[in-house]
Amino acid sequence: MKNYTFGNTVYSLRLSKHLSQKELGNMLGVSDKAVSRWENGSSQPRSSLLPKLAEVLGVTLDKLLSGREKVSVA
């Protein structure tokens, strides 16, 4: 099953940082093909890589995984 929400989030955030797939991959120690597969929803990064991916893209882990910021309820 393809995860388009995650892929679209990574794609949008990568573009907002003006990074190519190759540049993002190099920052994370993976190939540009791996980044492409994440973005098209055919695979996801290892769970150990998610905090670094969120950091590089400048978002929280919640935003990276859900595509939206966590909303606190008061």
Side-chain angles (χ1 to χ4, degrees):
M1 183 171 169
K2 293 193 176 200
N3 187 340
Y4 294 110
T5 301
F6 179 80
N8 289 336
T9 300
V10 171
Y11 174 76
S12 297
L13 292 168
R14 178 179 61 78
L15 290 184
S16 74
K17 295 289 186 181
H18 307 286
L19 295 170
S20 68
Q21 290 178 336
K22 186 168 188 71
E23 290 169 326
L24 179 58
N26 286 341
M27 295 170 86
L28 299 169
V30 300
S31 71
D32 57 329
K33 302 295 184 219
V35 175
S36 176
R37 288 190 298 270
W38 301 342
E39 291 180 356
N40 72 32
S42 63
S43 72
Q44 288 194 339
R46 297 180 312 272
S47 59
S48 62
L49 194 56
L50 291 173
K52 178 68 174 174
L53 179 58
E55 178 186 330
V56 167
L57 295 176
V59 296
T60 64
L61 202 48
D62 282 337
K63 166 108 177 157
L64 180 64
L65 295 175
S66 70
R68 60 184 185 272
E69 290 292 339
K70 185 176 179 180
V71 178
S72 61
V73 178

